[in-house]
């Protein structure tokens, strides 16, 4: 067909193998009167060399990523990409048995492309110009990332004192065996996978993310799913991973995305109210994230913010007992970086009751919750009925902004004597706590007038409000101050939720 070819870049990795094979097959490597100019130059040089070549002969390149148009102004053109990794240390035998993608616009060009591939000892197939990126991505994953995998696997062997090169026959064996999947994930042996992760976290933590991504992809091939406590660190009784930055949390969540994610926003100082929410989230979601952030924007009063109880280590330990996977404990600067000026205001619901006594409170709540939802992108977000107006604000925000999250609201947890659990209860003296009991008793009447009377009769309490609020469900809500501590509580007026 074609008898004289000029190979540009004959000294390169592909060019030298191609030239040698063409010479073996009796094709003339003619610099002066070629019928085909074959560009074996780096991708970025193709356009320039093509433009600098006088029109006349056929023009072709051997790149997998480069579109045909790069060969402008030549119109008699095609591409023939040998799907092989070439080394200058080896000769034309590298071509034997490899495939070649031929891209062409005419039958004649395709015939030339197929002829060239077959002459070189390659197995041609047709590739359209538009599908090039996908084809080339596949080629890069198979060849380049194999190097990355070998490097990662080699460092694990080296950490064990074993020779990394011992992996090479193993890797070839997998190919020779037709890529049959064996090993712990194929067997569903999660204990072994767990042991892998433990040693990786200890000795080569930079490989954890890669291992997990590959484990999940491999589990999918095996028709299995990694248990969520394998993906997380240890499961119930273990310690959750504490993320301090938005980036860290996003990275951790990225490889847990295949399952559901539950988020519980808290300000810490956990009590049984928080723990009941966490247990439900643990039962309902593959991954549970708890945020731990005392949000300054929801405290109008600096002194109140300063007094708010903080107990970080205990909180992380309690979360670990329940099997929380990730604790997000950012700094104030992380959540409110310099220049922060975007606020969410749920105008009506956020301005009555609590909003009246704590101006700006719900603006702070809605803003931080929206930010947490945007960072964690949970399937479900958990709130306590204890803060009924907060639930109403969040429900409205989710609806108004069409947020893609399921709102889960769980009943108020109380002490045996009826006092609603609250982190602020820790600030009460024994005597103040005794005085505070009247709030839950008053609200339990479910009658605003009766409740106000009961509260008026008791000493040492300042009542901010006792009102029926038209929430979903409607509640009788109240707020009182006992000494320096402000307490809120409510009872739903429908259904039998406490
Ligand atoms: P906080 O840490 O006070 O912001 O509370 C975090 C979450 O726990 C909020 O959704 C609260 O409504 C919820 N919560 C607080 N106290 C209780 C309680 N006694 N019972 C149920 N949920 C609660």
């Amino acid at each position: 067909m074609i008898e004289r070819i000029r190979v540009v870049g004959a000294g390169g990795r592909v060019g030298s193998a191609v030239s040698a094979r063409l010479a073996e097959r009796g094709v003339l490597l003619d610099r002066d009167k070629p019928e085909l100019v074959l560009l074996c130059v780096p991708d970025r040089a193709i356009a320039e060399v093509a433009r600098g070549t006088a029109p006349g002969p056929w023009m072709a390149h051997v790149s997998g990523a480069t579109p045909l148009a790069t060969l402008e102004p030549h119109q008699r053109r095609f591409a023939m990409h040998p799907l092989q990794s070439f080394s200058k240390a080896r000769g034309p035998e590298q071509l034997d048995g490899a495939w070649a993608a031929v891209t062409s616009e005419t039958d004649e060009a395709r015939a030339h492309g197929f002829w060239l591939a077959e002459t070189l000892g390659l197995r041609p197939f047709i590739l359209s110009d538009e599908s090039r990126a996908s084809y080339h991505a596949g080629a890069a994953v198979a060849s380049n990332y194999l190097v990355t995998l070998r490097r990662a696997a080699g460092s694990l062997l080296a950490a064990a004192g074993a020779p990394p090169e011992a992996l090479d026959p193993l890797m070839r064996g997998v190919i020779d065996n037709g890529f049959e999947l064996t090993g712990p994930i194929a067997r569903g042996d999660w204990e072994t996978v767990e042991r892998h992760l433990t040693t990786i976290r200890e000795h080569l933590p930079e490989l954890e993310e890669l291992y997990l991504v590959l484990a999940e992809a491999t589990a999918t091939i095996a028709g299995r799913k990694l248990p969520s406590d394998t993906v997380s660190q240890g499961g119930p009784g273990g310690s959750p991973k504490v993320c301090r930055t938005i980036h860290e949390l996003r990275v951790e969540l990225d490889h847990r995305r295949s399952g559901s994610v539950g988020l519980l926003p808290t300000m810490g100082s956990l009590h049984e109210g928080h723990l009941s929410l966490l247990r439900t989230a643990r039962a309902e979601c593959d991954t549970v994230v708890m945020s731990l952030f005392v949000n300054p924007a929801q405290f109008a009063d600096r002194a109140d913010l300063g007094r708010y109880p903080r107990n970080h280590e205990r909180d992380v330990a309690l979360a670990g007992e329940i099997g929380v996977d990730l604790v997000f404990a950012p700094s104030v600067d992380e959540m409110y970086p310099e220049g922060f000026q975007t606020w969410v205001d749920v105008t009506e619901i956020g301005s009555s009751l609590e909003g009246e006594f704590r101006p700006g409170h719900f603006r702070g709540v809605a803003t931080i919750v929206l930010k947490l939802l945007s960072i964690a992108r949970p399937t479900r977000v958990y709130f306590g009925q204890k803060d009924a107006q907060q639930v109403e604000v969040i429900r409205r925000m989710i609806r108004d902004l069409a947020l893609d999250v399921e709102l889960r609201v769980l009943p108020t947890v109380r002490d045996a004597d009826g006092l609603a659990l609250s982190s602020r209860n820790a600030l009460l003296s024994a005597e103040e706590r005794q005085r505070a009991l009247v709030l839950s008793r008053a609200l339990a009447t479910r009658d605003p007038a009766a409740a106000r009377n009961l509260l008026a009769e008791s000493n040492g309490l300042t009542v901010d409000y006792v009102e029926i609020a038209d929430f979903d469900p409607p509640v009788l809500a109240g707020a009182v101050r006992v000494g320096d501590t402000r307490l809120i509580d409510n009872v739903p007026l429908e259904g039998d939720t406490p």
Side-chain angles (χ1 to χ4, degrees), residues 155-169:
S155 54
L156 283 163
L157 256 74
E165 58 274 22
L167 290 166
D168 300 347

mmCIF file of all heavy atoms in Angstrom, residues 155-169:
data_model
loop_
_atom_site.group_PDB
_atom_site.id
_atom_site.type_symbol
_atom_site.label_atom_id
_atom_site.label_comp_id
_atom_site.label_asym_id
_atom_site.label_seq_id
_atom_site.Cartn_x
_atom_site.Cartn_y
_atom_site.Cartn_z
ATOM 1 N N SER A 155 5.701 0.195 49.041
ATOM 2 C CA SER A 155 6.063 0.813 50.323
ATOM 3 C C SER A 155 5.478 0.019 51.490
ATOM 4 O O SER A 155 6.075 -0.040 52.563
ATOM 5 C CB SER A 155 5.688 2.292 50.374
ATOM 6 O OG SER A 155 4.342 2.464 50.066
ATOM 7 N N LEU A 156 4.329 -0.627 51.268
ATOM 8 C CA LEU A 156 3.778 -1.487 52.338
ATOM 9 C C LEU A 156 4.671 -2.713 52.551
ATOM 10 O O LEU A 156 4.918 -3.127 53.687
ATOM 11 C CB LEU A 156 2.351 -1.919 51.996
ATOM 12 C CG LEU A 156 1.294 -0.829 52.211
ATOM 13 C CD1 LEU A 156 -0.002 -1.156 51.485
ATOM 14 C CD2 LEU A 156 1.038 -0.638 53.700
ATOM 15 N N LEU A 157 5.166 -3.285 51.455
ATOM 16 C CA LEU A 157 6.070 -4.434 51.608
ATOM 17 C C LEU A 157 7.360 -3.996 52.294
ATOM 18 O O LEU A 157 7.858 -4.668 53.195
ATOM 19 C CB LEU A 157 6.374 -5.096 50.249
ATOM 20 C CG LEU A 157 5.593 -6.405 50.080
ATOM 21 C CD1 LEU A 157 4.137 -6.133 49.799
ATOM 22 C CD2 LEU A 157 6.226 -7.317 49.046
ATOM 23 N N ALA A 158 7.871 -2.839 51.853
ATOM 24 C CA ALA A 158 9.114 -2.348 52.457
ATOM 25 C C ALA A 158 8.925 -2.127 53.957
ATOM 26 O O ALA A 158 9.802 -2.455 54.760
ATOM 27 C CB ALA A 158 9.547 -1.061 51.776
ATOM 28 N N ALA A 159 7.734 -1.606 54.352
ATOM 29 C CA ALA A 159 7.463 -1.374 55.780
ATOM 30 C C ALA A 159 7.465 -2.702 56.547
ATOM 31 O O ALA A 159 7.715 -2.739 57.744
ATOM 32 C CB ALA A 159 6.130 -0.667 55.958
ATOM 33 N N ALA A 160 7.178 -3.787 55.829
ATOM 34 C CA ALA A 160 7.160 -5.104 56.474
ATOM 35 C C ALA A 160 8.523 -5.791 56.369
ATOM 36 O O ALA A 160 8.684 -6.941 56.784
ATOM 37 C CB ALA A 160 6.097 -5.974 55.810
ATOM 38 N N GLY A 161 9.502 -5.086 55.769
ATOM 39 C CA GLY A 161 10.833 -5.671 55.601
ATOM 40 C C GLY A 161 10.880 -6.681 54.467
ATOM 41 O O GLY A 161 11.809 -7.483 54.367
ATOM 42 N N ALA A 162 9.890 -6.666 53.591
ATOM 43 C CA ALA A 162 9.850 -7.615 52.471
ATOM 44 C C ALA A 162 10.299 -6.897 51.193
ATOM 45 O O ALA A 162 10.161 -5.677 51.085
ATOM 46 C CB ALA A 162 8.423 -8.134 52.303
ATOM 47 N N PRO A 163 10.864 -7.648 50.211
ATOM 48 C CA PRO A 163 11.335 -6.978 48.989
ATOM 49 C C PRO A 163 10.176 -6.532 48.093
ATOM 50 O O PRO A 163 9.375 -7.371 47.667
ATOM 51 C CB PRO A 163 12.168 -8.065 48.282
ATOM 52 C CG PRO A 163 11.721 -9.357 48.881
ATOM 53 C CD PRO A 163 11.142 -9.091 50.234
ATOM 54 N N PRO A 164 10.081 -5.233 47.784
ATOM 55 C CA PRO A 164 8.979 -4.746 46.944
ATOM 56 C C PRO A 164 8.915 -5.443 45.587
ATOM 57 O O PRO A 164 7.822 -5.666 45.061
ATOM 58 C CB PRO A 164 9.303 -3.261 46.779
ATOM 59 C CG PRO A 164 10.145 -2.921 47.963
ATOM 60 C CD PRO A 164 10.935 -4.140 48.289
ATOM 61 N N GLU A 165 10.066 -5.825 45.041
ATOM 62 C CA GLU A 165 10.057 -6.443 43.702
ATOM 63 C C GLU A 165 9.387 -7.815 43.710
ATOM 64 O O GLU A 165 9.035 -8.346 42.650
ATOM 65 C CB GLU A 165 11.465 -6.510 43.104
ATOM 66 C CG GLU A 165 12.488 -7.271 43.915
ATOM 67 C CD GLU A 165 13.169 -6.406 44.989
ATOM 68 O OE1 GLU A 165 12.592 -5.379 45.381
ATOM 69 O OE2 GLU A 165 14.260 -6.799 45.450
ATOM 70 N N ALA A 166 9.177 -8.366 44.914
ATOM 71 C CA ALA A 166 8.457 -9.647 44.996
ATOM 72 C C ALA A 166 7.016 -9.501 44.494
ATOM 73 O O ALA A 166 6.333 -10.475 44.197
ATOM 74 C CB ALA A 166 8.453 -10.146 46.445
ATOM 75 N N LEU A 167 6.565 -8.233 44.407
ATOM 76 C CA LEU A 167 5.196 -7.990 43.933
ATOM 77 C C LEU A 167 5.046 -8.198 42.425
ATOM 78 O O LEU A 167 3.945 -8.445 41.947
ATOM 79 C CB LEU A 167 4.795 -6.544 44.243
ATOM 80 C CG LEU A 167 4.587 -6.203 45.715
ATOM 81 C CD1 LEU A 167 4.529 -4.688 45.888
ATOM 82 C CD2 LEU A 167 3.304 -6.854 46.234
ATOM 83 N N ASP A 168 6.163 -8.085 41.694
ATOM 84 C CA ASP A 168 6.039 -8.040 40.234
ATOM 85 C C ASP A 168 5.467 -9.318 39.629
ATOM 86 O O ASP A 168 4.526 -9.243 38.820
ATOM 87 C CB ASP A 168 7.372 -7.641 39.601
ATOM 88 C CG ASP A 168 7.799 -6.258 40.091
ATOM 89 O OD1 ASP A 168 6.935 -5.568 40.700
ATOM 90 O OD2 ASP A 168 8.958 -5.878 39.910
ATOM 91 N N PRO A 169 5.997 -10.501 39.995
ATOM 92 C CA PRO A 169 5.376 -11.720 39.448
ATOM 93 C C PRO A 169 3.918 -11.845 39.871
ATOM 94 O O PRO A 169 3.081 -12.332 39.116
ATOM 95 C CB PRO A 169 6.212 -12.848 40.054
ATOM 96 C CG PRO A 169 7.492 -12.220 40.471
ATOM 97 C CD PRO A 169 7.177 -10.809 40.831
#
